[in-house]
Amino acid sequence: SQTIHQWPATLVQPVGSPLSLECTVEGTSNPNLYWYRQAAGRGLQLLFYSVGIGQISSEVPQNLSASRPQDRQFILSSKKLLLSDSGFYLCAWRWTGTGVSEQYFGPGTRLTVT
Amino acid sequence: KQEVTQIPAALSVPEGENLVLNCSFTDSAIYNLQWFRQDPGKGLTSLLLIQSSQREQTSGRLNASLDKSSGRSTLYIAASQPGDSATYLCAVRPRGDNFNKFYFGSGTKLNVKP
C-alpha cells in the first residue's frame, strides 16, 4: 500500500529565517506531487506541482520554492520567511498510471512565522 | 479558470438527519470530481471520486452525484452521526492544459449534534 509522510508536523520560525519542509511517498513510482497551503478557515491554494524529477510548476509567485531531487521526494523551501507564510502546508500525490486517479494527502505541517 | 464553490460554508444538524452538501464548478470540462473530509488540524481524507462519465458513486452512508452539464455535484450523507462532524471539500480535475491540477472549494464545515 501507499503512504505519504510529511515532516515536521509543526514548526515555529522567526521572520527572515529559512524553511525546508519535506514530503516523501512510499509504495508507488512516478507519482505527480503537489504542495498546497491552507490558511485558517479557507480552501486549499495550490503552490507547486511536479510531474517528474526536477520538473516543477509554480502556481503562485512568492518567496517559496520547491524541488524534487528524487522520484518520491518533494521539498518546499524558502530563503527568508514572511509573516504571511504562516499556514497549514499539505503535500499530496496522484498516481499517473491507467485507471482511476485519486489525489491522496499527507498529514500536513503547521507553520507559524513569528 | 475553473472556480469551485461550496454552499453552505457551515451546517449544523441533529444526529440522525439526512443531509446534502453542494459543490458547483464553472467549467464542465473535467476529468473527475473528488470529495474529501478534513478533521481539524489533519490532512484530507478521500471519500469518493466520480469520473466525468459517471453520474454517482456510493460508499456506505455516502452518495456523491455529478451533473457535469450544470456544473454541480452533491454529497448526500444518510443518517448523520456526531463522528461525521468535519469539513468537507470538493475538488475538480479539469481537462485541457491544466489537467495536472486540482481546483478546490473552500469547504462546508459540518457539525452533527448528539
Side-chain angles (χ1 to χ4, degrees), chain A residues 4-94:
Chain A
I4 178 170
H5 304 279
Q6 285 187 247
W7 63 90
T10 60
L11 192 59
V12 180
Q13 292 283 94
V15 168
S17 64
L19 173 73
S20 181
L21 303 182
E22 189 164 344
C23 170
T24 59
V25 181
E26 296 177 354
T28 189
S29 59
N30 195 32
N32 281 4
L33 296 172
Y34 303 82
W35 278 113
Y36 292 90
R37 178 169 59 200
Q38 187 176 35
R42 301 184 64 180
L44 273 68
Q45 178 187 34
L46 178 62
L47 302 175
F48 302 94
Y49 70 92
S50 171
V51 299
I53 295 174
Q55 301 179 63
I56 308 295
S57 296
S58 174
E59 292 300 299
V60 182
Q62 59 208 329
N63 66 319
L64 299 174
S65 63
S67 62
R68 185 170 176 174
Q70 300 180 41
D71 182 44
R72 290 169 290 177
Q73 184 185 30
F74 205 22
I75 297 172
L76 183 69
S77 304
S78 174
K79 292 182 180 179
K80 289 185 178 181
L81 284 168
L82 306 173
L83 284 173
S84 59
D85 291 324
S86 293
F88 192 47
Y89 288 81
L90 289 158
C91 180
W93 73 275
R94 183 180 72 83

Side-chain angles (χ1 to χ4, degrees), chain B residues 70-83:
Chain B
S70 66
R72 292 184 177 184
S73 176
T74 62
L75 179 66
Y76 175 83
I77 302 177
S80 59
Q81 303 170 358

Side-chain angles (χ1 to χ4, degrees), chain B residues 21-37:
Chain B
L21 306 180
N22 297 295
C23 172
S24 61
F25 46 96
T26 54
D27 189 343
S28 62
I30 65 171
Y31 272 113
N32 57 51
L33 184 146
Q34 195 170 355
W35 281 94
F36 295 89
R37 168 187 173 136

Side-chain angles (χ1 to χ4, degrees), chain B residues 21-100:
Chain B
L21 306 180
N22 297 295
C23 172
S24 61
F25 46 96
T26 54
D27 189 343
S28 62
I30 65 171
Y31 272 113
N32 57 51
L33 184 146
Q34 195 170 355
W35 281 94
F36 295 89
R37 168 187 173 136
Q38 186 178 28
D39 294 295
K42 305 293 184 182
L44 278 65
T45 299
S46 178
L47 297 174
L48 290 164
L49 181 144
I50 311 178
Q51 300 281 59
S52 62
S53 58
Q54 298 175 320
R55 297 285 293 182
E56 64 178 59
Q57 281 282 3
T58 298
S59 176
R61 294 183 294 109
L62 305 180
N63 176 278
S65 67
L66 175 64
D67 184 344
K68 200 173 56 171
S69 60
S70 66
R72 292 184 177 184
S73 176
T74 62
L75 179 66
Y76 175 83
I77 302 177
S80 59
Q81 303 170 358
D84 295 329
S85 298
T87 297
Y88 291 80
L89 297 101
C90 66
V92 298
R93 184 183 167 211
R95 293 185 181 274
D97 293 342
N98 295 316
F99 71 98
N100 278 317

